[in-house]
Amino acid sequence: MDNLDLVVLRALHDWRQKGRRALLATVVRTWGSSPRPIGSIMALCEDGTVVGSVSGGCIEDDLIYRFTHAYSGKGEGGDIPQGAPQFLKYGIRADEAHRFGLPCGGTLELLLEFDPEPELLGRLVAQLESGKLMQREVRLADGKVSLRTAEQPSELSVSDTTLCNNFGPEYRMLLIGAGQLAEYLATMALFNGFTVTVCDPREEYRGNWSVEGAEITAEMPDDVVREFRADRRSAIIALTHDPKLDDLALLEALETEAFYIGAIGSRSNNNLRRERLIEYFDQTEESLARLRGPIGIFIGSKTPSEIAVSIMAEVLAVKNGVTLPRDMDVAAAKNSMGVPPNDTDLVCSIN
């Protein structure tokens, strides 16, 4: 499944290339609570078709009503939106917040761009599809757009003269091991906008893989990690519970900028892994600080599907910069409850 921004921009490009009128809406400011974060985008076609989201739905409905009536000549004055970008604010008054489904006190401001240039949209889509991180700058006086390759991700910024927003590349996840847990986790990662690669040299696991959209390879995990070239939009998760496959791959992962690095296993298994890496691979507690384990958040998960939910929740929390309460940490929660650790490596769990 493609990154949502890419889906929106691709649809907008297709409409404009066919000569259809359309606008691009970007969330540029929020006050209080808001349904969608700054930088979220939505495209609206002249026929009312919407791709993307800037709210829970009510603001989209208002935009559809306003601009489809304008395009059809039924709006006030029959004005067709065009020209320089315009700012539009929702939720200033309590009745507006209620009307548009904004949380109490929530306000958001949009920048609307009318009929973006299809050639520049095509260039942006092509660069994103090739894995480039791009910065799109909009001149507010006239809507003129410039594109450049960005060196690192940055937050949307808006000034009196310009709007700058970064797009792409997609978030990526590398899973080591192709078992049932990996199938559930890969499925969830795909519908959360990650591209997923799975590596497992074991034919008995790889041969039964059934998740469409995830790339699968039989190479050794440490080689795959090197070839993966993880960046700050990458997650690497070891799921085999086999030190011969996991350990070297995790060591390679720790040399990258991946935002999430973790391995499945019980508290005992996690402690043994750290001891091995320190004793045999010259690691230290400091060098292993980014290695997560036991992975996931504490939800009492037992089945592979529940464990996958637990892991995906933690990955998304780290991705979104959310610090989870200590009582949601698996090890801390189990220890506080007096749950004895597993004494065996035979059971794959996150106890």
Side-chain angles (χ1 to χ4, degrees), residues 185-204:
L185 187 53
T187 301
M188 281 187 279
L190 287 167
F191 69 65
N192 276 287
F194 286 73
T195 59
V196 178
T197 301
V198 179
C199 70
D200 200 325
R202 303 169 300 178
E203 173 59 32
E204 62 271 24

Side-chain angles (χ1 to χ4, degrees), residues 21 46 65-81:
R21 306 294 301 277
E46 62 184 33
Y65 177 82
R66 288 189 187 208
F67 293 105
T68 54
H69 276 61
Y71 286 131
S72 66
K74 297 177 182 178
E76 291 186 21
D79 294 332
I80 298 176

Side-chain angles (χ1 to χ4, degrees), residues 131 169-172 228-235 256-260:
E170 297 174 323
Y171 279 88
R172 299 182 296 152
F228 191 67
R229 299 184 183 279
D231 56 23
R232 281 177 286 179
R233 292 190 172 213
S234 304
T256 74
E257 293 185 317
F259 75 88
Y260 185 99

